[in-house]
């Protein structure tokens, strides 16, 4: 049996493979550079290569500072406006819910009171416009101005408590046999009367003015402007009875509060009420007329 022929040795620089011969990687040596070439070509400085930015740094760089487009800004403003409108609507609905439990007659009284206030404001506006027209059209403007000044002085005297007042109104009498009525209850009653359009008020023999104050007296009772007032407390009020009486009788109002403290409140409407208690005109200590 003949021996198999030995494989021929691969030439230098060739690696023997199964299918084809692949040249082996030859050692690469840089060619020598002459002195003239090295002098003519500029030397390149080696620069440090920045490290690769990590995923967290790339995420932070993409999110901050925030980039807001015009469309996103418009959408944000629309959402803010919608939320504000919804909040106002919810608040208005809550205000209406407070009146849902009231009876029909109570709602009618409240509506009548609001209508009366509006009518009073309209009348006051008409009077001021009439006074201005009289001053502008009067041939003797000085005399007309003097007459209107006199009238205005009398009106201010009624408000200041230096002039007697008369007209239609009510008399509110508060009996307090248990001594449960305090100064704050009388103050609430006064505020309710003022809100209903009372123009002149006196309690027993004390005239109520803008700086009237209430305090609880030692040993019981109430002091008004530092003067002891004994019960029954009698409110003499000049104003429209159709406005004053419903204002005191509203649910949770003055009459209900007084009755809850074992006091009794009675209201008498009269066509002629006289408020004759007067007070001394006080000169303000700190307040001065402001320059226009």
């Amino acid at each position: 049996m003949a021996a198999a022929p030995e494989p021929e040795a691969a030439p230098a620089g060739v690696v023997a493979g199964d299918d084809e011969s692949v040249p082996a990687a030859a050692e690469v040596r840089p060619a020598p550079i002459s002195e003239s070439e090295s002098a003519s070509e500029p030397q390149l400085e080696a620069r440090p290569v920045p490290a690769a930015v990590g995923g967290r740094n790339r995420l932070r760089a993409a999110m901050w500072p925030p980039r807001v487009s015009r469309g996103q800004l418009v959408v944000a403003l629309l959402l803010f406006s919608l939320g504000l409108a919804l909040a106002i609507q919810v608040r208005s609905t809550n205000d209406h819910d407070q009146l849902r439990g009231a009876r029909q007659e109570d709602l009618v009284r409240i509506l009548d009171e609001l209508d009366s206030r509006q009518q009073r404001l309209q009348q006051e506006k008409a009077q001021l416009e009439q006074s201005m027209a009289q001053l502008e059209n009067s041939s003797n403007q000085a005399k007309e101005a003097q007459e209107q000044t006199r009238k205005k002085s009398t009106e201010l005297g009624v408000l200041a408590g230096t002039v007697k007042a008369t007209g239609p109104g009510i008399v509110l009498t508060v009996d307090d046999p248990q001594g449960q009525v305090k100064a704050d209850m009388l103050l609430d009653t006064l505020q309710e009367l003022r809100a209903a359009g009372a123009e002149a008020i006196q309690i027993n023999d004390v005239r109520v003015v803008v700086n009237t104050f209430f305090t609880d007296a030692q040993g019981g009772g109430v002091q008004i402007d530092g003067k002891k007032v004994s019960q029954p407390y009698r409110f003499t009020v000049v104003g429209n009875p159709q406005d004053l009486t419903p204002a005191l009788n509203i649910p949770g109002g003055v009459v209900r509060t007084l009755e809850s403290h074992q006091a009794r409140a009675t209201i008498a409407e009269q066509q002629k009420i006289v408020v004759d208690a007067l007070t001394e005109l006080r000169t303000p200590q700190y307040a001065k007329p402001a320059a226009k």
Side-chain angles (χ1 to χ4, degrees):
M1 185 173 180
E6 296 181 358
E8 297 181 359
V14 177
V15 179
D18 295 337
D19 298 331
E20 59 181 357
S21 298
V22 179
E27 182 180 358
V28 179
R29 296 181 179 179
I33 301 175
S34 63
E35 294 181 357
S36 59
E37 293 179 354
S38 61
S40 59
E41 295 182 1
Q43 299 294 328
L44 299 177
E45 297 181 358
R47 297 181 180 179
V49 179
V53 181
R56 183 178 302 175
N57 294 334
R58 289 198 301 269
L59 180 61
R60 184 182 298 110
M63 296 181 62
W64 187 265
R67 298 175 179 85
V68 181
S69 64
R70 181 177 299 178
Q72 292 174 340
L73 183 59
V74 172
V75 172
L77 291 176
L78 291 177
L79 292 176
F80 174 77
S81 302
L82 179 60
L84 182 61
L86 289 176
I88 295 175
Q89 183 177 2
V90 170
R91 182 176 180 181
S92 177
T93 303
N94 293 336
D95 294 339
H96 293 162
D97 290 339
Q98 297 178 358
L99 299 177
R100 291 181 179 177
R103 297 175 300 177
Q104 182 176 2
E105 58 181 6
D106 297 331
L107 295 175
V108 172
R109 289 179 181 176
I110 295 174
L111 182 60
D112 292 340
E113 182 180 351
L114 294 176
D115 291 340
S116 300
R117 291 182 183 180
Q118 183 180 5
Q119 291 177 3
R120 288 197 304 271
L121 293 176
Q122 292 292 342
Q123 292 175 359
E124 184 177 357
K125 177 183 176 182
Q127 291 177 358
L128 293 175
E129 292 177 349
Q130 183 179 2
S131 299
M132 183 177 65
Q134 290 177 355
L135 284 174
E136 293 176 349
N137 301 328
S138 176
S139 58
N140 191 349
Q141 294 185 358
K143 183 178 180 180
E144 184 66 26
Q146 184 179 4
E147 180 65 20
Q148 291 192 13
T149 301
R150 185 188 63 81
K151 293 180 179 179
K152 194 65 176 179
S153 177
T154 303
E155 295 175 358
L156 294 176
V158 172
L159 298 177
T162 59
V163 178
K164 296 181 180 180
T166 184
I170 65 171
V171 176
L172 170 64
T173 304
V174 179
D175 293 315
D176 182 29
Q178 303 296 328
Q180 298 296 320
V181 176
K182 303 298 181 181
D184 59 341
M185 300 180 189
L186 297 183
L187 177 59
D188 292 341
T189 304
L190 173 62
Q191 298 288 26
E192 193 66 39
L193 290 171
R194 283 175 170 171
E199 298 177 352
I201 306 173
Q202 76 176 56
I203 304 175
N204 289 11
D205 57 350
V206 178
R207 183 69 172 267
V208 176
V209 291
V210 64
N211 55 356
T212 296
F213 61 94
F214 298 77
T215 56
D216 293 322
Q218 295 181 355
V222 177
Q223 289 183 344
I224 304 177
D225 289 342
K227 184 177 181 180
K228 180 69 176 294
V229 178
S230 59
Q231 63 97 15
Y233 306 108
R234 182 182 176 91
F235 288 77
T236 305
V237 187
V238 174
N240 187 359
Q242 297 180 357
D243 296 335
L244 299 175
T245 301
L248 298 176
N249 287 317
I250 61 175
V254 171
V255 174
R256 300 294 185 271
T257 302
L258 293 173
E259 291 177 349
S260 65
H261 288 80
Q262 289 78 42
R264 182 178 60 187
T266 57
I267 302 174
E269 298 182 0
Q270 299 181 13
Q271 293 300 318
K272 184 177 181 180
I273 295 290
V274 178
V275 176
D276 54 4
L278 302 179
T279 185
E280 296 181 359
L281 184 62
R282 303 175 184 177
T283 303
Q285 182 178 357
Y286 302 102
K288 304 296 181 182
K292 295 184 179 180

